[in-house]
Amino acid sequence: MIKKYLTFSSTFFSIFTIWEWISDSQIYWIENIGITICATLVNAFVDWGISSYDYRKKEIQGE
């Protein structure tokens, strides 16, 4: 699970940094790191919410 989030974070950071470098030719490192952390947390919360929903759905159907 952690490997999935690390892969997502590094890919998101790389793509976002390259895109910023090409479009603006200036890289704002702190902003990129902050956006990457926020995107990773949102991704983790969405995955957690989906897994909780699926678990609850299986629990209800099992009764």
Side-chain angles (χ1 to χ4, degrees):
M1 185 69 94
I2 291 176
K3 184 179 178 182
K4 176 183 171 184
Y5 296 128
L6 288 175
T7 304
F8 173 78
S9 298
S10 60
T11 303
F12 186 85
F13 180 77
S14 299
I15 291 172
F16 197 73
T17 302
I18 290 169
W19 175 65
E20 192 173 79
W21 181 51
I22 290 171
S23 67
D24 196 22
S25 73
Q26 210 175 38
I27 300 173
Y28 300 102
W29 293 104
I30 302 298
E31 183 179 305
N32 287 356
I33 291 169
I35 291 171
T36 301
I37 290 171
C38 290
T40 303
L41 288 175
V42 167
N43 188 19
F45 286 135
V46 168
D47 284 349
W48 175 68
I50 290 171
S51 66
S52 295
Y53 175 75
D54 289 342
Y55 176 76
R56 181 72 178 145
K57 192 165 82 172
K58 287 178 187 176
E59 187 178 275
I60 289 172
Q61 289 176 352
E63 293 181 356

